[in-house]
Amino acid sequence: IITKSKEFEPVPYFFKRSYPNWELSEETWEKDRIVYTRHQIRTPAKTLQEVIAVPDTDHGTAGVSASVREYLIKDESDIEAFIKYVPDIDKDTLAHMKEFCEWSHRVIGDKGIAAPWMWGGVYNKATELRDIQELMVDPYDDPELYEAFMGKILELQLKMNTEFAKLNGMALSMQGNIANAGMVSKSFFDEYIL
């Protein structure tokens, strides 16, 4: 048995609570059987906002992947605010990860392994925060800012996934499917993603 929980992957810790210089508010509503969630994050530089949506399936929305209706990162000033103010992983998130790993190991026992979903490839995470059409031209418009943005996501990803790997001790599941040959050329991939 391989369990693949999504406890930590779809909603990053920085969309779950406020931090210094990162004040989070969340609003949820339903319209035409679609459940919307708005995250607003006030930083000293500006307010960032995203809206995600999931269909109401009559059985709840747990396990249903959300689609982004409004991306958190819309322009260069949003990228700059994100890089400057997005918080590092905190002790409460680490404690939750530890409790989750202990619980999943007890449940699975010697019948299999826990391979929870974690943040996937850096480009995958970036496309959840910024419209992929914008992301694909960013390295041409402002290569330094693009590199800084991707570098920040990589830094956060490495911290989160490394800590979870230590706590879980079995395996992690990670996706890296967005930057594929249907989307980008080999030269674009090699220069701006790899």
Side-chain angles (χ1 to χ4, degrees):
I1 298 171
I2 301 175
T3 61
K4 296 175 88 83
S5 168
K6 294 190 101 180
E7 180 74 14
F8 297 94
E9 185 267 333
V11 180
Y13 62 88
F14 53 79
F15 281 139
K16 293 185 176 178
R17 70 178 190 83
S18 294
Y19 296 84
N21 297 318
W22 188 268
E23 186 180 328
L24 172 70
S25 62
E26 180 179 287
E27 175 187 7
T28 300
W29 70 96
E30 184 174 339
K31 181 180 178 188
D32 299 326
R33 298 189 50 91
I34 305 289
V35 179
Y36 297 88
T37 302
R38 174 183 295 118
H39 294 113
Q40 280 192 330
I41 299 164
R42 279 204 299 272
T43 74
K46 66 182 307 184
T47 298
L48 306 173
Q49 175 175 288
E50 79 159 9
V51 177
I52 58 174
V54 296
D56 182 352
T57 63
D58 289 330
H59 303 291
T61 58
V64 178
S65 294
S67 63
V68 181
R69 297 296 176 95
E70 180 182 335
Y71 287 90
L72 184 74
I73 309 293
K74 297 170 192 68
D75 59 31
E76 288 82 4
S77 65
D78 291 345
I79 294 172
E80 290 166 353
F82 179 85
I83 291 169
K84 186 170 184 178
Y85 296 110
V86 65
D88 280 336
I89 190 169
D90 60 283
K91 64 182 181 186
D92 291 338
T93 301
L94 290 171
H96 180 56
M97 288 164 53
K98 183 175 189 279
E99 289 169 13
F100 175 82
C101 291
E102 290 170 353
W103 169 80
S104 64
H105 291 189
R106 278 194 311 273
V107 170
I108 295 165
D110 61 359
K111 293 180 178 83
I113 65 170
W117 285 103
M118 288 309 302
W119 288 16
V122 173
Y123 205 78
N124 275 43
K125 185 51 73 180
T127 63
E128 294 172 14
L129 300 170
R130 183 153 170 78
D131 187 316
I132 195 166
Q133 295 176 81
E134 300 295 330
L135 194 62
M136 290 175 75
V137 298
D138 284 344
Y140 301 109
D141 287 346
D142 193 334
E144 289 179 15
L145 189 59
Y146 171 81
E147 247 183 67
F149 179 50
M150 300 305 259
K152 187 61 172 183
I153 294 172
L154 176 62
E155 175 190 320
L156 296 171
Q157 176 197 46
L158 286 173
K159 288 178 183 176
M160 178 89 172
N161 292 359
T162 299
E163 290 302 321
F164 208 173
K166 285 188 227 172
L167 292 167
N168 192 47
M170 293 184 177
L172 298 179
S173 298
M174 297 175 67
Q175 84 281 20
N177 59 309
I178 300 299
N180 62 53
M183 292 291 299
V184 298
S185 68
K186 181 182 183 322
S187 61
F188 185 97
F189 182 88
D190 289 347
E191 188 168 351
Y192 300 117
I193 299 169
L194 183 61

